[in-house]
């Protein structure tokens, strides 16, 4: 795995076409395992949402930097503000363009605690620990992990829970 710095993540994010406008707390895109994930633009995710700290926590790199997964926090709704941004080179692009995918509406995701595996058929699979909001107690509790399949050969990202 190649080392990725906070500055390089921001530079890569900017080149991937993340919207630089203000995020809207009302526009959220649900998890869709059948159609892959929405673009960052469609999910209304911006650079302001990145939750990467100075120690580099909140970002993972795969395929020698061709795929980046970065934590986001959209602040509202408070019980479901966590998510991820996935930057992936577009295998159809001759110019080296990147696609930006987003997944939102999680109470909590532990990207740094994720485990990964690789299969030539499906690509990199990440199992990311997640928490769910318990409305009865007003607290977070362990939930089913988020599973991401990132395939650099096809340029597809699939999420399931």
């Amino acid at each position: 795995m190649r080392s990725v710095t906070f500055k390089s993540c921001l530079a890569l994010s900017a080149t991937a076409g993340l919207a630089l406008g203000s995020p809207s707390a009302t526009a959220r895109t649900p998890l869709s395992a059948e159609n892959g994930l929405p673009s960052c633009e469609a999910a209304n995710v911006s650079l302001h949402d990145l939750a990467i700290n100075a120690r580099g926590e909140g970002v993972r790199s795969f395929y020698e930097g061709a795929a980046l997964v970065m934590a986001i926090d959209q602040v509202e709704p408070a019980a479901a503000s966590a998510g991820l941004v996935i930057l992936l080179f577009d295998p159809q692009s001759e110019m080296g363009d990147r696609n930006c995918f987003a997944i939102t509406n999680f109470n909590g995701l532990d990207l740094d605690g994720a485990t990964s595996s690789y299969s030539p058929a499906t690509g990199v699979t990440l199992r990311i620990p997640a928490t769910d909001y318990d409305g009865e107690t007003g607290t977070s509790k362990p939930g089913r992990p988020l599973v991401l399949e990132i395939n650099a050969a096809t340029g597809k990202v699939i999420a399931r829970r």
Side-chain angles (χ1 to χ4, degrees), residues 52-112:
I52 301 168
N53 67 29
R55 294 181 304 275
E57 295 168 331
V59 64
R60 299 277 301 263
S61 173
F62 301 95
Y63 297 107
E64 297 183 4
L68 291 175
V69 180
M70 297 179 285
I72 60 171
D73 184 347
Q74 293 186 300
V75 183
E76 290 295 335
S81 64
L84 299 172
V85 166
I86 301 98
L87 296 175
L88 183 61
F89 279 116
D90 181 348
Q92 306 298 318
S93 171
E94 294 179 12
M95 301 299 292
D97 294 328
R98 290 183 186 261
N99 290 321
C100 183
F101 303 97
I103 183 165
T104 60
N105 293 329
F106 283 85
N107 176 256
L109 293 170
D110 181 9
L111 182 58
D112 297 314

Short mmCIF file of all heavy atoms in Angstrom, two decimals, residues 52-112:
data_model
loop_
_atom_site.label_atom_id
_atom_site.label_comp_id
_atom_site.label_asym_id
_atom_site.label_seq_id
_atom_site.Cartn_x
_atom_site.Cartn_y
_atom_site.Cartn_z
N ILE A 52 -10.61 13.68 7.41
CA ILE A 52 -9.26 13.13 7.47
C ILE A 52 -8.46 14.00 8.42
O ILE A 52 -8.43 15.22 8.26
CB ILE A 52 -8.61 13.14 6.07
CG1 ILE A 52 -9.45 12.31 5.10
CG2 ILE A 52 -7.18 12.63 6.14
CD1 ILE A 52 -9.06 12.48 3.66
N ASN A 53 -7.82 13.38 9.40
CA ASN A 53 -7.07 14.21 10.34
C ASN A 53 -5.61 14.35 9.92
O ASN A 53 -5.17 13.75 8.93
CB ASN A 53 -7.21 13.69 11.78
CG ASN A 53 -6.55 12.36 12.00
OD1 ASN A 53 -5.58 12.00 11.35
ND2 ASN A 53 -7.07 11.59 12.95
N ALA A 54 -4.86 15.14 10.65
CA ALA A 54 -3.47 15.46 10.30
C ALA A 54 -2.57 14.23 10.34
O ALA A 54 -1.52 14.20 9.70
CB ALA A 54 -2.92 16.54 11.23
N ARG A 55 -2.96 13.19 11.08
CA ARG A 55 -2.17 11.95 11.15
C ARG A 55 -2.48 11.02 9.99
O ARG A 55 -1.94 9.93 9.90
CB ARG A 55 -2.41 11.25 12.48
CG ARG A 55 -1.89 12.03 13.69
CD ARG A 55 -2.13 11.28 14.99
NE ARG A 55 -3.53 10.92 15.21
CZ ARG A 55 -4.45 11.71 15.76
NH1 ARG A 55 -4.13 12.93 16.13
NH2 ARG A 55 -5.68 11.28 15.95
N GLY A 56 -3.38 11.42 9.11
CA GLY A 56 -3.72 10.61 7.95
C GLY A 56 -4.79 9.57 8.23
O GLY A 56 -5.07 8.74 7.37
N GLU A 57 -5.41 9.63 9.40
CA GLU A 57 -6.50 8.71 9.69
C GLU A 57 -7.73 9.14 8.90
O GLU A 57 -7.96 10.32 8.69
CB GLU A 57 -6.79 8.71 11.19
CG GLU A 57 -5.64 8.17 12.01
CD GLU A 57 -5.80 8.42 13.50
OE1 GLU A 57 -6.44 9.42 13.88
OE2 GLU A 57 -5.26 7.62 14.27
N GLY A 58 -8.48 8.16 8.45
CA GLY A 58 -9.68 8.46 7.68
C GLY A 58 -9.48 8.34 6.18
O GLY A 58 -10.32 8.75 5.40
N VAL A 59 -8.35 7.75 5.77
CA VAL A 59 -8.11 7.52 4.34
C VAL A 59 -7.39 6.19 4.16
O VAL A 59 -6.52 5.83 4.95
CB VAL A 59 -7.31 8.69 3.70
CG1 VAL A 59 -5.92 8.81 4.29
CG2 VAL A 59 -7.23 8.55 2.20
N ARG A 60 -7.80 5.46 3.12
CA ARG A 60 -7.14 4.20 2.76
C ARG A 60 -6.87 4.24 1.26
O ARG A 60 -7.65 4.79 0.49
CB ARG A 60 -8.04 3.00 3.08
CG ARG A 60 -8.42 2.82 4.54
CD ARG A 60 -7.39 2.10 5.39
NE ARG A 60 -7.05 0.77 4.95
CZ ARG A 60 -7.58 -0.36 5.42
NH1 ARG A 60 -8.50 -0.30 6.37
NH2 ARG A 60 -7.19 -1.52 4.97
N SER A 61 -5.76 3.65 0.87
CA SER A 61 -5.35 3.63 -0.52
C SER A 61 -5.21 2.19 -1.00
O SER A 61 -4.66 1.34 -0.28
CB SER A 61 -4.00 4.36 -0.65
OG SER A 61 -3.47 4.24 -1.93
N PHE A 62 -5.67 1.92 -2.24
CA PHE A 62 -5.59 0.59 -2.83
C PHE A 62 -5.14 0.71 -4.28
O PHE A 62 -5.20 1.78 -4.86
CB PHE A 62 -6.95 -0.11 -2.76
CG PHE A 62 -7.45 -0.24 -1.35
CD1 PHE A 62 -8.32 0.69 -0.82
CD2 PHE A 62 -7.03 -1.29 -0.55
CE1 PHE A 62 -8.77 0.60 0.48
CE2 PHE A 62 -7.47 -1.40 0.76
CZ PHE A 62 -8.34 -0.46 1.27
N TYR A 63 -4.72 -0.41 -4.85
CA TYR A 63 -4.28 -0.44 -6.24
C TYR A 63 -3.18 0.58 -6.49
O TYR A 63 -3.21 1.33 -7.46
CB TYR A 63 -5.43 -0.20 -7.22
CG TYR A 63 -6.53 -1.23 -7.20
CD1 TYR A 63 -7.77 -0.94 -6.65
CD2 TYR A 63 -6.33 -2.49 -7.75
CE1 TYR A 63 -8.79 -1.87 -6.64
CE2 TYR A 63 -7.35 -3.43 -7.74
CZ TYR A 63 -8.57 -3.12 -7.20
OH TYR A 63 -9.58 -4.04 -7.19
N GLU A 64 -2.21 0.65 -5.57
CA GLU A 64 -1.08 1.57 -5.67
C GLU A 64 -1.53 3.02 -5.88
O GLU A 64 -0.98 3.75 -6.69
CB GLU A 64 -0.12 1.13 -6.78
CG GLU A 64 0.52 -0.22 -6.50
CD GLU A 64 1.52 -0.63 -7.55
OE1 GLU A 64 1.81 0.14 -8.47
OE2 GLU A 64 2.01 -1.77 -7.44
N GLY A 65 -2.56 3.40 -5.16
CA GLY A 65 -3.06 4.77 -5.21
C GLY A 65 -4.13 5.02 -6.25
O GLY A 65 -4.67 6.13 -6.32
N ALA A 66 -4.47 4.03 -7.06
CA ALA A 66 -5.51 4.22 -8.08
C ALA A 66 -6.90 4.30 -7.47
O ALA A 66 -7.82 4.82 -8.10
CB ALA A 66 -5.45 3.09 -9.11
N ALA A 67 -7.05 3.81 -6.25
CA ALA A 67 -8.33 3.89 -5.55
C ALA A 67 -8.09 4.45 -4.15
O ALA A 67 -7.22 3.97 -3.44
CB ALA A 67 -8.99 2.52 -5.46
N LEU A 68 -8.84 5.48 -3.81
CA LEU A 68 -8.78 6.07 -2.48
C LEU A 68 -10.16 5.99 -1.84
O LEU A 68 -11.16 6.27 -2.50
CB LEU A 68 -8.36 7.54 -2.54
CG LEU A 68 -6.94 7.85 -2.95
CD1 LEU A 68 -6.74 9.36 -3.06
CD2 LEU A 68 -5.96 7.26 -1.96
N VAL A 69 -10.19 5.64 -0.56
CA VAL A 69 -11.42 5.65 0.21
C VAL A 69 -11.19 6.64 1.35
O VAL A 69 -10.21 6.51 2.09
CB VAL A 69 -11.76 4.25 0.76
CG1 VAL A 69 -13.06 4.28 1.55
CG2 VAL A 69 -11.85 3.24 -0.38
N MET A 70 -12.08 7.63 1.47
CA MET A 70 -11.90 8.67 2.47
C MET A 70 -13.18 8.85 3.29
O MET A 70 -14.28 8.82 2.75
CB MET A 70 -11.56 10.00 1.78
CG MET A 70 -10.23 9.93 1.04
SD MET A 70 -9.79 11.47 0.20
CE MET A 70 -10.90 11.39 -1.19
N ALA A 71 -12.99 9.03 4.59
CA ALA A 71 -14.11 9.25 5.49
C ALA A 71 -14.67 10.66 5.32
O ALA A 71 -13.92 11.61 5.06
CB ALA A 71 -13.66 9.05 6.93
N ILE A 72 -15.99 10.77 5.44
CA ILE A 72 -16.64 12.08 5.44
C ILE A 72 -17.56 12.18 6.65
O ILE A 72 -18.00 11.18 7.20
CB ILE A 72 -17.45 12.35 4.15
CG1 ILE A 72 -18.55 11.30 3.95
CG2 ILE A 72 -16.53 12.43 2.94
CD1 ILE A 72 -19.52 11.63 2.82
N ASP A 73 -17.81 13.41 7.05
CA ASP A 73 -18.78 13.71 8.11
C ASP A 73 -19.55 14.93 7.64
O ASP A 73 -19.00 16.02 7.53
CB ASP A 73 -18.08 13.99 9.43
CG ASP A 73 -19.06 14.22 10.57
OD1 ASP A 73 -20.27 14.41 10.31
OD2 ASP A 73 -18.62 14.22 11.73
N GLN A 74 -20.84 14.74 7.37
CA GLN A 74 -21.66 15.83 6.85
C GLN A 74 -22.40 16.59 7.95
O GLN A 74 -23.27 17.40 7.66
CB GLN A 74 -22.63 15.30 5.80
CG GLN A 74 -21.88 14.82 4.56
CD GLN A 74 -22.81 14.44 3.45
OE1 GLN A 74 -23.63 13.55 3.60
NE2 GLN A 74 -22.67 15.12 2.32
N VAL A 75 -22.08 16.35 9.21
CA VAL A 75 -22.59 17.02 10.39
C VAL A 75 -24.08 16.75 10.63
O VAL A 75 -24.46 16.37 11.71
CB VAL A 75 -22.30 18.54 10.38
CG1 VAL A 75 -22.78 19.20 11.65
CG2 VAL A 75 -20.81 18.80 10.16
N GLU A 76 -24.90 16.95 9.65
CA GLU A 76 -26.35 16.72 9.80
C GLU A 76 -26.83 15.74 8.75
O GLU A 76 -26.33 15.76 7.63
CB GLU A 76 -27.11 18.04 9.65
CG GLU A 76 -26.93 19.02 10.78
CD GLU A 76 -27.49 18.53 12.10
OE1 GLU A 76 -28.42 17.69 12.09
OE2 GLU A 76 -27.01 18.96 13.15
N PRO A 77 -27.77 14.90 9.06
CA PRO A 77 -28.36 14.72 10.38
C PRO A 77 -27.36 14.07 11.33
O PRO A 77 -26.60 13.17 10.94
CB PRO A 77 -29.56 13.81 10.13
CG PRO A 77 -29.20 13.05 8.90
CD PRO A 77 -28.33 13.97 8.07
N ALA A 78 -27.35 14.52 12.56
CA ALA A 78 -26.33 14.10 13.53
C ALA A 78 -26.28 12.59 13.72
O ALA A 78 -25.21 12.02 13.89
CB ALA A 78 -26.56 14.80 14.86
N ALA A 79 -27.41 11.92 13.68
CA ALA A 79 -27.45 10.48 13.90
C ALA A 79 -27.05 9.69 12.65
O ALA A 79 -26.93 8.47 12.71
CB ALA A 79 -28.83 10.05 14.37
N ALA A 80 -26.84 10.37 11.53
CA ALA A 80 -26.50 9.68 10.28
C ALA A 80 -25.61 10.57 9.40
O ALA A 80 -25.84 10.72 8.21
CB ALA A 80 -27.76 9.28 9.53
N SER A 81 -24.58 11.15 9.99
CA SER A 81 -23.74 12.10 9.25
C SER A 81 -22.49 11.49 8.64
O SER A 81 -21.80 12.12 7.86
CB SER A 81 -23.33 13.26 10.16
OG SER A 81 -22.51 12.77 11.22
N ALA A 82 -22.19 10.23 8.99
CA ALA A 82 -20.96 9.60 8.50
C ALA A 82 -21.14 9.01 7.12
O ALA A 82 -22.25 8.66 6.71
CB ALA A 82 -20.51 8.51 9.48
N GLY A 83 -20.04 8.90 6.40
CA GLY A 83 -20.06 8.30 5.08
C GLY A 83 -18.66 8.13 4.54
O GLY A 83 -17.67 8.33 5.25
N LEU A 84 -18.59 7.78 3.26
CA LEU A 84 -17.32 7.56 2.59
C LEU A 84 -17.35 8.15 1.19
O LEU A 84 -18.40 8.23 0.56
CB LEU A 84 -17.02 6.06 2.45
CG LEU A 84 -16.89 5.24 3.72
CD1 LEU A 84 -16.80 3.77 3.38
CD2 LEU A 84 -15.68 5.68 4.52
N VAL A 85 -16.19 8.55 0.72
CA VAL A 85 -15.97 8.95 -0.67
C VAL A 85 -14.97 7.96 -1.25
O VAL A 85 -13.97 7.64 -0.60
CB VAL A 85 -15.42 10.38 -0.76
CG1 VAL A 85 -14.87 10.68 -2.13
CG2 VAL A 85 -16.49 11.39 -0.39
N ILE A 86 -15.25 7.47 -2.44
CA ILE A 86 -14.35 6.54 -3.12
C ILE A 86 -13.93 7.19 -4.43
O ILE A 86 -14.76 7.49 -5.28
CB ILE A 86 -15.01 5.18 -3.39
CG1 ILE A 86 -15.48 4.53 -2.09
CG2 ILE A 86 -14.04 4.25 -4.11
CD1 ILE A 86 -16.91 4.73 -1.78
N LEU A 87 -12.62 7.44 -4.58
CA LEU A 87 -12.07 7.97 -5.82
C LEU A 87 -11.41 6.82 -6.55
O LEU A 87 -10.60 6.08 -5.98
CB LEU A 87 -11.02 9.05 -5.55
CG LEU A 87 -11.52 10.32 -4.88
CD1 LEU A 87 -10.33 11.23 -4.58
CD2 LEU A 87 -12.50 11.02 -5.77
N LEU A 88 -11.73 6.65 -7.82
CA LEU A 88 -11.24 5.51 -8.59
C LEU A 88 -10.97 5.94 -10.02
O LEU A 88 -11.82 6.60 -10.64
CB LEU A 88 -12.31 4.41 -8.56
CG LEU A 88 -12.02 3.09 -9.23
CD1 LEU A 88 -10.80 2.40 -8.59
CD2 LEU A 88 -13.24 2.18 -9.12
N PHE A 89 -9.79 5.60 -10.52
CA PHE A 89 -9.49 5.91 -11.92
C PHE A 89 -10.54 5.28 -12.81
O PHE A 89 -10.97 4.15 -12.60
CB PHE A 89 -8.11 5.40 -12.32
CG PHE A 89 -6.99 6.30 -11.90
CD1 PHE A 89 -6.03 5.86 -11.00
CD2 PHE A 89 -6.87 7.58 -12.41
CE1 PHE A 89 -5.00 6.69 -10.60
CE2 PHE A 89 -5.84 8.42 -12.03
CZ PHE A 89 -4.90 7.96 -11.11
N ASP A 90 -10.95 6.01 -13.83
CA ASP A 90 -11.92 5.52 -14.81
C ASP A 90 -11.16 4.67 -15.84
O ASP A 90 -10.34 5.21 -16.59
CB ASP A 90 -12.61 6.71 -15.48
CG ASP A 90 -13.65 6.30 -16.50
OD1 ASP A 90 -13.72 5.11 -16.88
OD2 ASP A 90 -14.42 7.19 -16.92
N PRO A 91 -11.41 3.36 -15.90
CA PRO A 91 -10.67 2.51 -16.83
C PRO A 91 -10.97 2.83 -18.30
O PRO A 91 -10.21 2.45 -19.19
CB PRO A 91 -11.10 1.09 -16.47
CG PRO A 91 -12.41 1.25 -15.78
CD PRO A 91 -12.37 2.59 -15.12
N GLN A 92 -12.05 3.57 -18.57
CA GLN A 92 -12.41 3.95 -19.94
C GLN A 92 -11.73 5.24 -20.40
O GLN A 92 -11.73 5.56 -21.57
CB GLN A 92 -13.93 4.13 -20.05
CG GLN A 92 -14.73 2.94 -19.59
CD GLN A 92 -14.44 1.70 -20.41
OE1 GLN A 92 -14.33 1.76 -21.62
NE2 GLN A 92 -14.34 0.56 -19.75
N SER A 93 -11.14 5.96 -19.46
CA SER A 93 -10.55 7.26 -19.77
C SER A 93 -9.10 7.13 -20.23
O SER A 93 -8.29 6.50 -19.57
CB SER A 93 -10.59 8.17 -18.53
OG SER A 93 -9.84 9.34 -18.76
N GLU A 94 -8.81 7.74 -21.34
CA GLU A 94 -7.43 7.78 -21.82
C GLU A 94 -6.65 8.91 -21.16
O GLU A 94 -5.43 8.96 -21.24
CB GLU A 94 -7.43 7.95 -23.34
CG GLU A 94 -8.00 6.76 -24.07
CD GLU A 94 -8.01 6.96 -25.58
OE1 GLU A 94 -7.37 7.90 -26.08
OE2 GLU A 94 -8.67 6.17 -26.26
N MET A 95 -7.36 9.82 -20.50
CA MET A 95 -6.74 10.98 -19.87
C MET A 95 -6.44 10.77 -18.38
O MET A 95 -5.92 11.65 -17.73
CB MET A 95 -7.64 12.21 -20.03
CG MET A 95 -7.94 12.56 -21.47
SD MET A 95 -6.47 12.97 -22.43
CE MET A 95 -6.01 14.49 -21.68
N GLY A 96 -6.81 9.62 -17.84
CA GLY A 96 -6.57 9.37 -16.43
C GLY A 96 -7.59 10.00 -15.51
O GLY A 96 -7.30 10.30 -14.36
N ASP A 97 -8.81 10.22 -16.03
CA ASP A 97 -9.87 10.80 -15.20
C ASP A 97 -10.22 9.87 -14.05
O ASP A 97 -10.06 8.66 -14.14
CB ASP A 97 -11.13 11.04 -16.04
CG ASP A 97 -10.92 12.09 -17.11
OD1 ASP A 97 -10.13 13.02 -16.88
OD2 ASP A 97 -11.56 11.97 -18.17
N ARG A 98 -10.71 10.46 -12.97
CA ARG A 98 -11.17 9.70 -11.81
C ARG A 98 -12.69 9.85 -11.69
O ARG A 98 -13.24 10.89 -12.00
CB ARG A 98 -10.53 10.22 -10.53
CG ARG A 98 -9.07 9.93 -10.42
CD ARG A 98 -8.57 10.41 -9.06
NE ARG A 98 -7.15 10.28 -8.95
CZ ARG A 98 -6.54 9.27 -8.33
NH1 ARG A 98 -7.24 8.33 -7.78
NH2 ARG A 98 -5.23 9.21 -8.27
N ASN A 99 -13.30 8.80 -11.20
CA ASN A 99 -14.70 8.86 -10.81
C ASN A 99 -14.77 9.00 -9.31
O ASN A 99 -13.93 8.46 -8.59
CB ASN A 99 -15.44 7.59 -11.26
CG ASN A 99 -15.60 7.52 -12.76
OD1 ASN A 99 -15.84 8.54 -13.40
ND2 ASN A 99 -15.45 6.34 -13.32
N CYS A 100 -15.77 9.70 -8.84
CA CYS A 100 -15.97 9.92 -7.42
C CYS A 100 -17.33 9.36 -7.03
O CYS A 100 -18.34 9.76 -7.58
CB CYS A 100 -15.89 11.41 -7.10
SG CYS A 100 -16.03 11.78 -5.35
N PHE A 101 -17.32 8.39 -6.11
CA PHE A 101 -18.55 7.78 -5.61
C PHE A 101 -18.71 8.14 -4.14
O PHE A 101 -17.73 8.35 -3.44
CB PHE A 101 -18.49 6.26 -5.75
CG PHE A 101 -18.25 5.79 -7.16
CD1 PHE A 101 -16.97 5.46 -7.58
CD2 PHE A 101 -19.30 5.68 -8.06
CE1 PHE A 101 -16.74 5.02 -8.88
CE2 PHE A 101 -19.07 5.23 -9.35
CZ PHE A 101 -17.80 4.92 -9.77
N ALA A 102 -19.95 8.18 -3.66
CA ALA A 102 -20.20 8.51 -2.26
C ALA A 102 -21.21 7.56 -1.66
O ALA A 102 -22.10 7.06 -2.34
CB ALA A 102 -20.71 9.95 -2.14
N ILE A 103 -21.03 7.33 -0.38
CA ILE A 103 -22.02 6.60 0.39
C ILE A 103 -22.24 7.39 1.67
O ILE A 103 -21.28 7.81 2.33
CB ILE A 103 -21.59 5.14 0.65
CG1 ILE A 103 -22.69 4.41 1.41
CG2 ILE A 103 -20.28 5.06 1.37
CD1 ILE A 103 -22.52 2.92 1.39
N THR A 104 -23.50 7.67 1.98
CA THR A 104 -23.84 8.55 3.11
C THR A 104 -24.88 7.90 4.01
O THR A 104 -25.35 6.80 3.73
CB THR A 104 -24.37 9.90 2.60
OG1 THR A 104 -25.54 9.66 1.81
CG2 THR A 104 -23.34 10.64 1.76
N ASN A 105 -25.24 8.62 5.06
CA ASN A 105 -26.33 8.25 5.97
C ASN A 105 -25.98 7.13 6.94
O ASN A 105 -26.81 6.29 7.23
CB ASN A 105 -27.61 7.90 5.22
CG ASN A 105 -28.21 9.10 4.52
OD1 ASN A 105 -28.08 10.22 4.99
ND2 ASN A 105 -28.86 8.86 3.41
N PHE A 106 -24.77 7.14 7.45
CA PHE A 106 -24.38 6.18 8.48
C PHE A 106 -24.19 6.90 9.80
O PHE A 106 -23.71 8.03 9.83
CB PHE A 106 -23.08 5.46 8.09
CG PHE A 106 -23.29 4.39 7.06
CD1 PHE A 106 -23.32 4.70 5.72
CD2 PHE A 106 -23.47 3.07 7.45
CE1 PHE A 106 -23.53 3.72 4.77
CE2 PHE A 106 -23.68 2.08 6.52
CZ PHE A 106 -23.71 2.39 5.17
N ASN A 107 -24.50 6.22 10.88
CA ASN A 107 -24.26 6.78 12.20
C ASN A 107 -22.77 6.85 12.47
O ASN A 107 -22.27 7.84 12.98
CB ASN A 107 -24.97 5.92 13.26
CG ASN A 107 -24.68 6.41 14.66
OD1 ASN A 107 -23.89 5.80 15.36
ND2 ASN A 107 -25.31 7.50 15.06
N GLY A 108 -22.05 5.81 12.10
CA GLY A 108 -20.61 5.81 12.27
C GLY A 108 -19.96 4.73 11.42
O GLY A 108 -20.53 3.65 11.25
N LEU A 109 -18.79 5.02 10.88
CA LEU A 109 -18.00 4.07 10.10
C LEU A 109 -16.56 4.17 10.57
O LEU A 109 -16.03 5.27 10.74
CB LEU A 109 -18.07 4.38 8.60
CG LEU A 109 -19.42 4.17 7.93
CD1 LEU A 109 -19.41 4.75 6.52
CD2 LEU A 109 -19.79 2.70 7.90
N ASP A 110 -15.91 3.03 10.79
CA ASP A 110 -14.52 2.99 11.25
C ASP A 110 -13.62 2.55 10.10
O ASP A 110 -13.22 1.39 10.02
CB ASP A 110 -14.39 2.05 12.45
CG ASP A 110 -12.98 1.99 12.99
OD1 ASP A 110 -12.12 2.79 12.56
OD2 ASP A 110 -12.72 1.11 13.84
N LEU A 111 -13.31 3.48 9.21
CA LEU A 111 -12.48 3.15 8.04
C LEU A 111 -11.11 2.65 8.46
O LEU A 111 -10.56 1.74 7.84
CB LEU A 111 -12.36 4.37 7.13
CG LEU A 111 -11.57 4.18 5.84
CD1 LEU A 111 -12.18 3.06 4.98
CD2 LEU A 111 -11.51 5.48 5.05
N ASP A 112 -10.55 3.22 9.53
CA ASP A 112 -9.22 2.79 9.97
C ASP A 112 -9.24 1.37 10.53
O ASP A 112 -8.23 0.68 10.52
CB ASP A 112 -8.66 3.77 10.99
CG ASP A 112 -8.45 5.15 10.38
OD1 ASP A 112 -7.90 5.23 9.27
OD2 ASP A 112 -8.87 6.14 11.00
#
